[in-house]
Structures are given as structure tokens and as C-alpha cells.
Amino acid sequence: MAEQMWGGRFAKSTDEMINEFQASINFDKRMYHEDIAGSIAHAKMLNKVGILNDEDTNAIITGLKNILIKIEQGNFDFSVDLEDIHMNIEKRLTEAIGDAGGRLHTARSRNDQVALDTHMYVRRETIEVAKLIKELQLAFADTAKKYKDVIMPGYTHLQRAQPILFSHHMMAYFSMLSRDFSRFKGVYERCDIMPLGAGALAGTTFPIDRQFVAEQLNFDAIYSNSLDAVSDRDYIMEFLSAASILMIHLSRISEEIIFWCSREFSFVELDDAHCTGSSMMPQKKNPDVSELVRGKTGRVIGHLMAMLTTVKGLPLAYNKDLQEDKEGLFDAIDTIKFSLAVYAQLIRGMKVKADIMLKAVREDFSNATDLADYLVKKGMPFRKAHSVSGHAVHYCIEHKKWLEDLTMDEFKQMSDLFEDDIYEAIKPETCVKNRNSYGGTSYQQVDMQLELADKILNDEQAQLDIYKDKQIKL
């Protein structure tokens, strides 16, 4: 049994089973870069205020950088006995440089240390998520440009409603992802607050310089209350909330793609690289990527619910319950990053069957609203026009016709306002073109959406460039 660094108070060693139960090293070791960066900044601060001399400071920094190299080369053995990433690194450092390593923890607690590491880790991963969101947005925008004039049925209640442009549909998901990007930008702001210096809960008696550490680690703000600093997990809950909303958006497009690539719709063909077959039925081509993303959505939402439940009854300040903040967070990060990356490939590899989409529009009554609008523009009150249009649909169903098939005599029986221009008014292309209100599905409005998309993508890249400049390099 290894000697615990906090064991002075105890007459007995921790039971082996309890040791394994409370250890977090198996999952928090991924924060090694943040832990080492934070310790180097802390050592420099202790040197600046006269707590550490130059010799000890240099030994600590060199020792920590050597540990970083060993970890990245896979030559570092993590020990469950040492509980977490912080103790593993500190123990190895002390073994390598002696008493100087033991001085590193002066004016610091594992409570504010783990808070620091987690803030920095979430900050870094938020940038990676934002990059992937932007890449998926670009995939949607490029696909919209590629199939810009393709007409498809628009749906409400999963019933064909009105003709729309497929590009308009793609840009709806672009807009959703724009909000996702903005949400993660907010997450970044809330995790860009430095907790180190709060100590276990009440600060420290040493003359530390928290502003210096914040500058070393590129934090824009510092917690002004030590209790809040060590107990705050709002930024994790916010990350998981943003992640859940993002996954819901991916789940919605997944649901549509699963429909669209079925034989019943046959609107799109997915690339073979993004599908699997059946072990029994040789004809099958299954949209497994979309189904998996749809399924993983519940997993990410579950992590949010678990975190909310964990925090809801905790008194200030630190409680061991908060160790439960990481596994779900780490899994959510891995899940959304993979889902975003694979979806960008899927969207780019998707082939749109324009002829089948247009056929679905022509062989339907999704132009019934346009027939009613035609009558309104001729002077008929909308409620009456709606009734006339509904009667026309009913008549067509009874006589196995579409609206375009009606003769002028049949139209005239329903209203004297119908003229020959009705045939042009209810063509799918006209139905789309005339919906030219701001944000509508017209060709002109979609062009405007694509122009706006370019600006949004440029603005997002500018924000990512700012984040890139703040990344910690060791």
C-alpha cells in the first residue's frame, strides 16, 4: 500500500477496495496537460512572491516538463493508490527532484487545483467542439449550394405541406448549429474564470498573486469568492446543456435522413462508407451512423441529468460528490466530437435525388395554399379562399386528379376568379419563387441565407482565432 500524501492524520491505511472506489485516475488522467500547466504557473507565482527560490522553481518546472514528455510518450505509470492525476504527478515530481517537489503544493489545495484543471480542460475542449460545429455548418452550406435549386416537399406533422427548396432545409440546420456555436461560446466565457488561489475553501495565509497566475494561464477573470471557486460546476452543467441541445439537433437531422434514405421516401442515397449491411439480408443498406447519433443523444442528455442531480443538494464548499462531474463530462465531449466529425462526412457524401423529390411535390396537394393565395390576390377573403381550395383538393381526390390536372371549366365551377394564370401560380417552381418574405424558401431568400452563412462562418473563424491565441503551450 502506497503512503497517502494526506495520511498524517490517519493511523491506518485506506482499505484497498475503498482506495479503488474513490480513485479518479482512470478517467482524470486525460487532464495531465492542464495539471502540469497549472503547476508550472503556480510555481512561477510562488517564486515571484518569494515563497520558492530560483533553484527549486527551476527544478520544479524542469521536472514537470519531463513528466509531460513521459506521459505523452506513454512512459508514465499511473497509480490507483495515488487517487488522481494531481497526486500522481506530484509524487513522481517529488521522487525526481526531492524536497523541492513537496514545496510545490504550498498555498494550494487539491480542491482549487482540480477546479483549475477542469476549467482549463473544458475551455480547451469547448474550442475543439466549436471548430467541429463550424465544419458541420460548412458541410450544410456547401450541400445547400450544390443542390440549391432542388425542390422537395416541406412537412408539418410528417405530412406534405408546401414545396420548399432542399437548400432551404439544409440552411435550417445551419441556423441551428449557429446557435449551438453561440452557446458554446457562452460556455467558454463561463469556464474562462480562474479558481486557483481559493485553497480548500477559504483562501490562504500566503501572499499569493492570483492575477499573475491568471495571466500565465490566459484567464480573463478570477473568482472573487473562494467558496464559489471550489464548488462551482455551473460551467460543466452549461457545457452538458449545450451538448444536449447540439445532440438533439443532430438527432433531428438523423431522423430525417433515416426517413429520406428509406425506400418509402428514396430522397437521398447515403455513401456506402457511412452505412452497413445485414448479416442475414443481403439487400440491406442501413443508415447506422444516423441511428447511432440518434441513440447517443439520450446518452448525452443522461449525463446532463446526472450532473444536475449531483449538484442540486450539495452544501458549500467542496464535497466528494463533485468527483462525479468528470466521467459524464468526458464521455459527452468524446460523443459530441465524434458525432460532429462523422456527420460532416455524411452530409458531404450524401447524394440527393432531385427527380424523386420533385415528383413527390408534383404528385401531391402541397400547392393548395398557393391556390388559396391566388384567390386572395384576386380579391377573395382568405377564409373563403381556404374553403374553395379545400373543396378543390376534395374534388381531385374523388376524381383521382392533381390540382394541375383540373380543366379551366372545373376551376370555374369552384370560382369565377380563376383564369389561365392559375396553372403558372400552382407550379412547384412558382410556389417556391413566390415565398419571398424574409427568411422564406424562395430562390432569392436562399441566396441571401447563403451570403449570410459566409459572414457567420467568417465571424466564427475570427472567434476561433482568438481562442487559438489563448491556448496554453508548454
Side-chain angles (χ1 to χ4, degrees):
M1 175 72 68
E3 179 184 352
Q4 302 289 0
M5 291 190 174
W6 41 261
R9 155 70 175 80
F10 292 81
K12 293 174 64 176
S13 298
T14 308
D15 182 274
E16 184 66 27
M17 184 172 66
I18 299 300
N19 210 30
E20 292 182 7
F21 181 67
Q22 69 174 358
S24 60
I25 187 61
N26 289 330
F27 52 86
D28 70 14
K29 62 187 177 184
R30 68 165 67 192
M31 298 195 299
Y32 70 87
H33 189 278
E34 285 72 26
D35 196 75
I36 290 172
S39 290
I40 289 175
H42 185 65
K44 289 180 179 179
M45 182 276 292
L46 293 177
N47 176 256
K48 176 178 179 291
V49 299
I51 295 173
L52 281 182
N53 61 37
D54 291 346
E55 182 181 354
D56 284 351
T57 303
N58 291 334
I60 288 170
I61 293 173
T62 300
L64 288 169
K65 289 185 176 180
N66 287 336
I67 290 172
L68 176 65
I69 292 170
K70 285 183 170 62
I71 294 175
E72 293 185 336
Q73 291 178 342
N75 297 324
F76 189 96
D77 294 326
F78 296 99
S79 170
V80 172
D81 289 339
L82 294 171
E83 297 184 24
D84 55 33
I85 185 63
H86 329 293
M87 288 299 197
N88 270 265
I89 289 175
E90 184 178 332
K91 177 69 172 177
R92 184 67 63 88
L93 177 67
T94 303
E95 290 173 350
I97 68 173
D99 287 346
R103 296 188 180 98
L104 173 61
H105 208 54
T106 305
R108 186 174 70 171
S109 165
R110 270 197 299 176
N111 291 358
D112 59 348
Q113 186 179 2
V114 68
L116 174 69
D117 290 3
T118 311
H119 273 271
M120 293 174 65
Y121 183 82
V122 174
R123 189 174 66 171
R124 173 163 63 90
E125 290 296 337
T126 297
I127 296 171
E128 296 306 309
V129 171
K131 288 178 184 176
L132 290 167
I133 290 173
K134 176 180 171 289
E135 288 304 311
L136 181 52
Q137 285 180 276
L138 185 59
F140 276 114
D142 286 346
T143 302
K145 291 173 184 176
K146 182 178 180 181
Y147 298 104
K148 191 172 69 170
D149 296 335
V150 172
I151 298 175
M152 68 175 292
Y155 293 83
T156 63
H157 308 279
L158 204 57
Q159 303 294 315
R160 294 177 189 171
Q162 293 176 342
I164 63 171
L165 290 176
F166 175 78
S167 51
H168 188 60
H169 200 113
M170 291 293 96
M171 293 310 293
Y173 284 102
F174 180 97
S175 296
M176 292 182 196
L177 290 166
S178 295
R179 295 193 295 274
D180 290 320
F181 188 99
S182 179
R183 269 185 282 273
F184 278 99
K185 180 182 175 184
V187 172
Y188 185 97
E189 292 171 0
R190 251 75 72 194
C191 66
D192 196 22
I193 310 172
M194 195 196 72
L196 198 65
L201 75 162
T204 177
T205 60
F206 291 95
I208 61 173
D209 186 341
R210 299 184 70 198
Q211 185 61 45
F212 175 84
V213 178
E215 291 169 359
Q216 291 289 305
L217 298 174
N218 292 335
F219 278 100
D220 276 352
I222 302 172
Y223 279 93
S224 59
N225 183 287
S226 61
L227 289 169
D228 186 37
V230 296
S231 63
D232 175 28
R233 295 299 185 273
D234 288 3
Y235 64 101
I236 294 178
M237 291 184 283
E238 190 171 358
F239 183 99
L240 292 171
S241 176
S244 296
I245 296 171
L246 168 62
M247 286 299 293
I248 286 170
H249 291 158
L250 296 185
S251 185
R252 294 183 74 180
I253 185 63
S254 294
E255 182 83 356
E256 294 196 309
I257 286 175
I258 291 165
F259 281 133
W260 291 349
C261 70
S262 69
R263 185 60 62 92
E264 284 72 18
F265 279 74
S266 199
F267 283 178
V268 302
E269 175 82 18
L270 297 182
D271 192 283
D272 287 353
H274 304 133
C275 297
T276 65
S278 166
S279 62
M280 185 182 206
M281 298 165 283
Q283 82 281 9
K284 295 292 294 296
K285 184 176 179 180
N286 300 324
D288 281 18
V289 168
S290 295
E291 291 174 350
L292 278 170
V293 169
R294 185 176 61 181
K296 288 178 184 295
T297 299
R299 179 169 165 173
V300 174
I301 294 171
H303 292 319
L304 171 61
M305 294 301 104
M307 189 64 207
L308 293 171
T309 305
T310 295
V311 174
K312 75 172 184 64
L314 293 185
L316 295 177
Y318 183 79
N319 298 271
K320 193 70 170 181
D321 312 52
L322 291 176
Q323 184 171 294
E324 290 297 305
D325 64 355
K326 295 175 191 63
E327 286 185 274
L329 169 67
F330 295 161
D331 183 71
I333 289 170
D334 294 343
T335 300
I336 62 175
K337 285 171 66 177
F338 187 80
S339 298
L340 286 166
V342 75
Y343 239 98
Q345 294 181 20
L346 184 145
I347 293 298
R348 289 189 180 281
M350 180 175 66
K351 179 183 177 183
V352 173
K353 299 180 180 180
D355 55 337
I356 294 178
M357 285 187 174
L358 183 59
K359 185 173 184 290
V361 171
R362 292 193 186 282
E363 297 180 356
D364 195 39
F365 298 104
S366 57
N367 52 359
T369 303
D370 297 85
L371 188 146
D373 289 348
Y374 171 90
L375 293 172
V376 170
K377 291 170 184 175
K378 295 282 187 176
M380 183 180 290
F382 178 78
R383 289 302 176 197
K384 184 176 180 180
H386 185 284
S387 177
V388 171
S389 182
H391 174 70
V393 170
H394 181 73
Y395 178 88
C396 286
I397 292 172
E398 282 190 333
H399 292 82
K400 295 181 172 53
K401 291 185 174 185
W402 305 113
L403 291 173
E404 298 94 319
D405 299 330
L406 294 177
T407 66
M408 183 50 59
D409 286 341
E410 288 172 314
F411 273 123
K412 287 289 188 182
Q413 289 174 21
M414 299 173 196
S415 173
D416 289 335
L417 294 177
F418 284 117
E419 301 293 344
D420 287 342
D421 57 352
I422 182 59
Y423 295 106
E424 179 65 26
I426 59 176
K427 286 173 57 178
E429 294 80 1
T430 306
C431 296
V432 168
K433 182 185 69 174
N434 287 347
R435 283 183 164 74
N436 200 35
S437 57
Y438 180 77
T441 191
S442 74
Y443 303 99
Q444 181 181 348
Q445 289 299 318
V446 170
D447 282 339
M448 290 172 60
Q449 289 177 49
L450 289 168
E451 289 178 14
L452 178 60
D454 289 337
K455 180 182 183 303
I456 290 171
L457 290 169
N458 287 334
D459 289 345
E460 289 176 353
Q461 185 57 54
Q463 186 63 58
L464 290 171
D465 290 341
I466 293 172
Y467 291 155
K468 181 180 178 181
D469 291 339
K470 292 188 65 177
Q471 291 287 74
I472 304 297
K473 300 177 180 63
L474 295 178

